[in-house]
């Protein structure tokens, strides 16, 4: 079940975004053209089908500029929705229009991430593989974008450099081999830290397997090699496929039997979901 | 000619991104597997052709973690490059690998924005139309993403709610019509603020034209109506086409004679340019 | 009509000011001498006539320290008032006295700016000239002081280095002349950016005029030269007079027919309006 | 002897001011009109005589945008100078022009405070009275403005609500009298905290004197009453005169024999000292 | 009487602590195991007797994550309590458990400081000596830890380098002797700044006494020398004993007649008071 | 092998601590008594034996106030040292004395944590058990204090609520039992997140074991029950002992065969290591 982020993790992002947009003079268009006490009722509505993420961002954006506004969600984060209304808002007209772009930028981006994730998750349905993200996130938005991946049905890879060990090619080279690298990692890791090692060949897989890390990442393996790896590992460690994953290839990858498939595009190249604010 | 952003506008973004990635324990993988004084020479290289933006982000990321690192640019922001090396870096190995993801996330994203912008700019080459962006930017990265648009050959629309007046449908409705809205805006605007008004029909165009704003935005006009608008306006104000713009449609839109074409996708849906860091 | 700044632009200034004043131990005098639950009703009152700006700062200062306080405005920002009450406040006594100085420092300073602006605006009444400010504002308070200028009836010049082009003598020198500088600016500017060029002689005026910037600043022109410039320009561009402006000279300058008169003293040398907080 | 503020207290103010001025696009005028590698040598020069304060602000502003700039002080903070050069700077031309306004805003404001302070200090020369400031400072700039007072020869009153006890009329009313208020303060104060009490009559002076605070503030006393107070106190506590102090009245006040004279105008109404940056 | 710190001084500490603990994904345990709308009633309870400080920290921590929570204090800051309940809280279950550790970390630490302070204060009861703290506080928590000292019955020494002059051995050496140092301090100090001088022998005491500072710190004096110093000073200045103070030695030190005894351990080595949160 | 924290994680803590100590006027004692260009050479020296942690904090504190200072480490973080010199520093005298307290507060605190950790680690030497910390850290200093635990030979437990799942009694109660809670956690956890479950009896241990979490925490078990648990688990999951651990009990606990022993006191009650700065 999907769990919301605490508002305390969203508020600083929203406040900074509002400050960035309001600049040094505020919304001079609304100030010039709309009466100070005018009210506006409007609907956040998606123009296309997609998975929703970030309604709290929209709510916090509006309420930050008009604490007396009402915001009623129609959809919920994590839902796959057809085009249509997501939330109804009633607020001071200037405040609502001043908050609109920040609300939509966050809601559209996060829903875009969720929607792309959902497409990958649906593509592997029934295979047993799960879809995971990477650290290829927008600077400053990692917590939010990783949450959006969860909204799309994905699971999260590590959140930063500090919460799991992921040994990549440069670490292997520096440590003098896959085996040595994993051994150094095991010696250094606390008891609540998992260790993953990237390998780029079946030979490296064997070397890694001998040291029993928690997860092995199969980087840019062919489908045949993925299947061979799955057979060879036989469930002893979690296998993650990485590289060359797209919506055309992902199902075949999943069907090799790997446990996890990581997709950088979920956060670095998801187009925004087209969401607008309609008056009335 | 393209002008770099001052480092002072980039540093806070890079430092926040590094802190977000380093978390509360730093790069535990590099600490475990790489000797403290090991050095690494590596190359930032693009895997695909594209327009480059954000080399300063990569430089600042590396130098923040290793002030003694060397960073030599091979490419320059604003260049359209084939796949290949962009910059050469030599640094403490741990520091470089700890900075790598932040450097690539910013460089890849900004180059993605520049590359998509360049595609639009090339598509309208010779027509006299310029490509511009919107406020549909990533929260916290507006200055950087707008800079990336410039790197791709685009020009910037307003930077926030405060530096130009842009009257949209809700403002028109609240003010009681296009004419009234522009008159209110003119009464409120300082002498260094431009006024743009969105219209959605030729009838509204006439009403706007009567009040002589600086720019009129033709929202979701058909090609025929765009052409009619250009004829009717006859150069008296700047005309901006908006809505339904994509790489298939943009040239035809440009050929109607409009001055400016705004494209939200430049910043809200640009896929990242695939850039990596290669050791050696 | 005067439009308030969004609270979100004021709150960080007020919170920082309160933190600066409370230091590391808070208001030790009120803590020592006033009972914890004592209440105080008081009136913010101006000791002299003046234009009011910044009542929201006073409200936010008090409510930040006592969220249950009541604050009723008697005056409104932008009003020219005689000496007398501006707002009535009822709050926890310690909280109110702890917030008093921050509230008064902001309200007095901003009202001082508004009052001086109003004096200039009144001095040119009927001439068609408007009074504008400069970037000679207090570091950290630009948004608030520019707002205070609007409260005094002035209009705002640009808000920063980024929202309009203002070519000054050093830029002219670097670019190789007025004409070259304006041409470079036009090539670089987006379609929502206005261009102003400073000139220091009628000869430079002609050079500038040939390039049709949006605004020409006549720097330190004699009254005769100002009048000559107005005649020569004949309404083709906006003319701004700058330099040597004070309350003795401003009307004569306005009567030359210039459109805009900029006055640095509005923000860099306005004496504060004497406002106090009276118990009872 | 005057002691400089540590740079660490100045840097955040300067960086925030630069960010405020550069906005989201930087200095678009300099970028458009000046070549990227052009250099500029220039002189910070005062147009009028005055006491100088804040040269470090100018230095830090320039060096923040061009770390390779050179900055040579000709004057020193605390000096009373005739009009003329204060510091010579050589830097990247764009960086220098981008930093100019922030440098001048701080240097001009602080020198304005120092100059006004110096005028008061000179006015009481030979009397034994010292000139002190108040908490009527610019929000965010208290440390800098209090430093400027020192540059002008003044001494600082308390820096905030937390570093000394200053009992005012509202505290006296709440505590039930001058004596009770001082006794409560003495019971609460640590051994390094001084206690000052405001009195508004000779009768209150007697009540205060009986409790032996460190300082008594004589608020709005006539010259005769000031003299009477000095006689009555006979050096037993420090006496501070406050209220109705201006350059016309301050010497007579000092000649009554009070020890300290506080002047709010030093920081709340000092006109800026006219300082400019001259190329060449 | 003990006075609470304003919430504005506590909120930034609590928010930063919550952000530090929630990281980039929030409380993943509570999200996984507790229903979103579950509620929890619980009691903050001390496992041991001690002096309480920091209940507001616990309240703010809980209310920041659940603004609708109720928090009823049973104890009050400054009270010496037996083991038992301190406050009752009812909140969303996830929010409460997410806030628990931050609440306890601050409440336990500050109560630990208060409890240790109280032990020293009780140890000198009846002697006339007061117990004071030092600047040996936790970075970022000085205001809170100094408040906790007050909760334990202590009085505060200076809050920072800026609110009193404390001449130590290095200053004496640099200035050329105790007398010279105090004279320089007196010449520099404002009228609301107290001056304290450290001495390490009776000979230095005499030198200091000749210059009449406000306070003299007797550093690492034997009991005999402390008594001699008290006799010699005869109440003319405040005497502070420092160095070698612990719970075994403090009463004897107090009985020498010194006015103030400073104890660094109050803040640098106080064990936390064991406080937990009990459901139900 | 011990790995240093990146400076970027230390600098904000040090700068905030310096700002907290310098306040609004800086170090008024050093300014008054020491000549501006005086230099001082001094030694950071431990008065007692202990494990060292935090030398980088001292270095950064000094260099922040005097970038030209030299700082040579004699000891290294992680070393167990006898009383004696740790680092030699030469700097501007005022800057060094202004930075001294911040440097010592951090160095002393972190070395205190390391020293206490080392005592526990030594107490269990040869048993195979490792010593780990908790989230009972100082708000704002978690990264540093966890690093200090590593300096003392300990390993880190999770860094926050977000990087591992730790099911405690309240979670068990909310989820309806140990088994249900672990199953919910497994369903929610990503593939790089470890799951730990607290149990308070052998019966609960069996229930937990059936669900195969990564780690089981035995909370407040008797020595007999710890041994029984070790036997029953037979290496299938990691066992952590918690509760009632002190230097008297820890070895016996370790000898039961548990893998990990967690000790809250490492960070919440470690007395500071006595370190001073000696001139010369």
């Amino acid at each position: 079940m999907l769990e919301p982020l605490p508002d305390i993790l969203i508020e600083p992002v929203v406040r900074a975004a509002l400050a960035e947009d309001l600049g040094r003079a505020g919304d001079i268009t609304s100030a010039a053209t709309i009466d100070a006490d005018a009210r506006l009722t409007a609907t956040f509505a998606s123009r296309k089908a997609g998975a929703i993420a970030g309604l709290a961002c929209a709510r916090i954006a509006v309420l930050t500029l008009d604490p007396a506004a009402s915001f009623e969600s129609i959809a919920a984060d994590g839902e796959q929705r057809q085009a249509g209304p997501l939330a109804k808002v009633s607020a001071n007209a200037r405040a609502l229009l001043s908050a609109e772009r920040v609300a939509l930028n966050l809601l559209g981006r996060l829903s875009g991430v969720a929607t792309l994730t959902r497409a990958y998750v649906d593509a592997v349905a029934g295979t047993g593989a799960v879809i995971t993200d990477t650290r290829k996130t927008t600077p400053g938005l990692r917590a939010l974008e990783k949450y959006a991946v969860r909204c799309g049905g994905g699971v999260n890879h590590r959140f930063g450099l500090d919460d799991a060990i992921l040994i990549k090619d440069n670490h292997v080279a520096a440590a003098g081999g896959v085996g040595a690298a994993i051994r150094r990692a095991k010696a250094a890791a606390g008891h609540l830290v998992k260790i993953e090692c990237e390998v780029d060949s079946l030979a490296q897989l064997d070397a890694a397997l001998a040291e029993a890390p928690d997860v092995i990442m199969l980087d840019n393996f062919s489908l045949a090699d993925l299947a061979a790896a799955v057979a060879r590992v036989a469930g002893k460690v979690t296998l993650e496929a990485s590289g060359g994953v797209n919506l055309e290839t992902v199902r075949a990858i999943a069907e090799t039997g790997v446990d996890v498939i990581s997709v950088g595009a979920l956060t670095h190249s998801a187009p925004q979901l087209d969401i607008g604010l309609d008056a009335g």
Side-chain angles (χ1 to χ4, degrees), chain A residues 86-173:
Chain A
L86 302 175
K88 188 129 194 167
V89 61
S90 178
N92 175 279
R94 287 179 181 170
L96 179 52
L97 294 177
S98 297
E100 173 186 0
R101 178 48 40 217
V102 166
L104 291 175
N105 282 355
L106 282 163
L107 180 57
R109 169 177 299 267
L110 297 183
S111 297
V113 170
T115 299
L116 186 58
T117 304
R118 172 58 59 194
Y120 279 90
V121 169
D122 289 349
V124 303
T127 62
V130 299
I131 300 296
T132 193
D133 52 33
T134 65
R135 284 170 40 249
K136 297 177 181 177
T137 57
T138 308
L141 299 185
R142 185 165 290 167
L144 275 67
E145 291 183 345
K146 293 245 172 188
Y147 165 76
V149 167
R150 299 197 293 278
C151 289
V155 300
N156 296 134
H157 211 286
R158 63 178 179 163
F159 275 76
L161 291 161
D162 62 327
D163 61 340
I165 288 183
L166 175 43
I167 301 166
K168 297 196 172 179
D169 51 359
N170 284 315
H171 304 107
V172 167

Side-chain angles (χ1 to χ4, degrees), chain A residues 194-198 213-217 237-240 260:
Chain A
K194 287 201 175 177
I195 296 173
E196 176 167 3
C197 184
E198 177 185 299
D214 296 289
V215 186
I216 295 177
M217 179 190 287
V237 305
T238 300
L239 284 179
E240 175 180 338
V260 180

Side-chain angles (χ1 to χ4, degrees), chain A residues 223-251:
Chain A
L223 290 175
D225 280 358
L226 285 175
V230 169
R232 197 169 300 188
V233 167
K236 287 193 290 281
V237 305
T238 300
L239 284 179
E240 175 180 338
S242 164
V245 184
N246 58 47
L247 280 170
E248 280 69 47
T249 62
V250 69
R251 178 146 197 109

